[in-house]
Each structure stands twice: as C-alpha cells, then as structure tokens.
Amino acid sequence: MKLLNPARLAICTLIVCVLLYFFPLFRISKLGSSPTSALDSKARSVLDTASPKKLSSPDVTTYIEKLWTDRLPEAAGNAASVDEVLAMAAADPARARQEYGREVGLGGPTFFFLRGRGRIESVDQDECLVIIEGQSQPIVLEIGILLGNAVRDATGLVNVGEFPNSQEFNRLSAELNERCESQVIRPVRDFLVVGTHVKFVGCGEVRNNKDFDPLKLIPVQLTVLNPAEQIE
C-alpha cells in the first residue's frame, strides 16, 4: 500500500478542514433562537396577516348590528335588477346564475341579491306573489316564518372566516331572518293586499333552474307605494 507523503497529507488535511468549516456536518445553536423557530414565527406572522381576524362571541352582536343598520342598506343600491335577472333566466337560466348570482361553496346553491318593484297578484300568510311588469314570470316575496341562509349569503358582505365557530355563523342567519320578519315585513303586513304596488330589495336562493319559476325572495327592504309613486 502506497502512503501519502507528508506534504500531500498536510494539503489534504487542510482542504478537509476548510470544507468542514464552511459546510459543517451539524450546527450548535443557542436554545430558543434556532433558525427553524425564527422561520416558523415569520410564517405564522404572514398567515395571521392574511387570515381575517376572528370575532369573539360578544363582537358578533356588534357585527350583526352594524351589518343590519349600515352595511346592508348601503349595499342595497348595488343589488341587481330583478327585471334583468328574470329576462335572462327566461332565456338562459344557467347564464343568469353565472352573471348575477353568487355561489357559496362548490356545487352549492346560487344566491341572488335583487331589487325591483311590482304589483301584488295574490297574498296569503306566508307568501306574496308579485307581478313584474314586462316579465313572463312573477316573483314571490316570503312574508311568513323565514328560514335559510339567503340573507346572510346573498350580499357577499359576510366572510365565514371572521366567525369563531359555525354556531355563531348560523346565529347570524337566524338573527337576520328575525329582523326581516320584525322590522321589514311586520310594519307593512296589513298593507300587502291584491292590487297594491310594492318596491323591494330581497335575497333569494336557487338550487336548480326550476327555482326561477317563481323566484322566491326574502325582503330586506319592502315599501308599499302610493298611487303617485307607482308611476315613477
């Protein structure tokens, strides 16, 4: 076996030492200040910034009040025209859902946030059938006990990520429905008679194209028009 001469051995040893200095087999780090911990902390900071701040349970009450009194009335002016939606739905329901609706979740229902006016054709305890001038299909205003998530989900104002749990998120639906019953429908309930003209902003839910015949809306604003207002 041929041995390395001392000079060559010294050079090889020096090279190995240099490599180990710059590329150590392991590192010794001070506890509590490892690079991994720093990276994890930075990653958490980025995620916290990107994610919506979750509300506490008491904050949900304040959130609902602000949504109902400020944000929802402001958004009502941007609701889609019921005339345009019904006209498109009569020819191409799928396109109407795509252009005017809002889907929550993959394969879920399509929600609509609409405004319009029309004449009451019939009314009972739970529903008010409204004829929209120039449209082949009427709409139905739901005026009985209100259920579902249309008011919560149709406007696009609510982010589920803001809520601490599903219970509080579902509570929002229940409270919005109750306010529609007590503050929107009940004050005008006795004036909803056949032949009366109404102006409305409402939220509806379509699970399949047959739900356009007729389209049902929960009113978040509902006004009975006097004769002078009917011709505007």
Side-chain angles (χ1 to χ4, degrees):
M1 180 177 178
K2 186 176 180 180
L3 298 176
L4 294 174
N5 61 49
R8 184 173 295 179
L9 181 61
I11 293 173
C12 291
T13 302
L14 179 61
I15 292 173
V16 171
C17 290
V18 170
L19 290 174
L20 288 175
Y21 178 81
F22 287 102
F23 305 100
L25 298 178
F26 60 89
R27 292 181 184 272
I28 299 175
S29 300
K30 185 179 179 181
L31 290 176
S33 61
S34 67
T36 302
S37 298
L39 288 173
D40 288 346
S41 177
K42 186 174 182 180
R44 284 195 297 269
S45 177
V46 171
L47 289 174
D48 290 343
T49 302
S51 302
K53 182 180 179 182
K54 289 188 179 295
L55 301 165
S56 64
S57 293
D59 288 338
V60 173
T61 300
T62 303
Y63 180 97
I64 294 172
E65 184 64 27
K66 184 173 179 60
L67 176 66
W68 180 259
T69 59
D70 296 332
R71 298 174 66 204
L72 190 56
E74 290 173 2
N78 296 321
S81 166
V82 71
D83 299 76
E84 294 177 4
V85 173
L86 291 180
M88 184 175 290
D92 190 344
R95 184 182 173 194
R97 295 176 69 173
Q98 182 178 9
E99 292 199 12
Y100 292 101
R102 181 174 181 273
E103 288 190 3
V104 179
L106 185 63
T110 304
F111 294 96
F112 289 88
F113 186 41
L114 306 177
R115 57 183 170 81
R117 60 172 61 199
R119 176 179 54 83
I120 296 177
E121 178 73 8
S122 65
V123 61
D124 60 27
Q125 184 176 354
D126 298 318
E127 296 182 342
C128 185
L129 185 70
V130 178
I131 301 298
I132 308 299
E133 185 176 357
Q135 302 302 322
S136 59
Q137 294 293 343
I139 61 101
V140 168
L141 296 178
E142 298 190 67
I143 57 174
I145 297 174
L146 303 177
L147 302 171
N149 302 317
V151 180
R152 183 192 69 189
D153 294 340
T155 64
L157 298 175
V158 178
N159 183 348
V160 63
E162 296 176 295
F163 289 80
N165 51 58
S166 59
Q167 182 178 357
E168 293 291 355
F169 191 52
N170 291 331
R171 172 191 160 198
L172 174 60
S173 278
E175 293 217 18
L176 289 174
N177 288 341
E178 192 281 328
R179 292 189 184 214
C180 288
E181 291 177 17
S182 62
Q183 299 182 32
V184 177
I185 298 168
R186 194 172 299 157
V188 300
R189 184 67 176 80
D190 292 340
F191 303 99
L192 300 177
V193 296
V194 174
T196 299
H197 288 247
V198 293
K199 182 169 66 173
F200 58 85
V201 177
C203 301
E205 177 180 339
V206 170
R207 292 188 174 274
N208 57 66
N209 293 340
K210 293 181 180 179
D211 290 340
F212 282 112
D213 185 20
L215 178 62
K216 295 185 177 183
L217 300 176
I218 294 176
V220 297
Q221 292 182 3
L222 182 57
T223 304
V224 175
L225 302 176
N226 60 45
E229 293 172 320
Q230 294 176 18
I231 60 176
E232 290 182 0

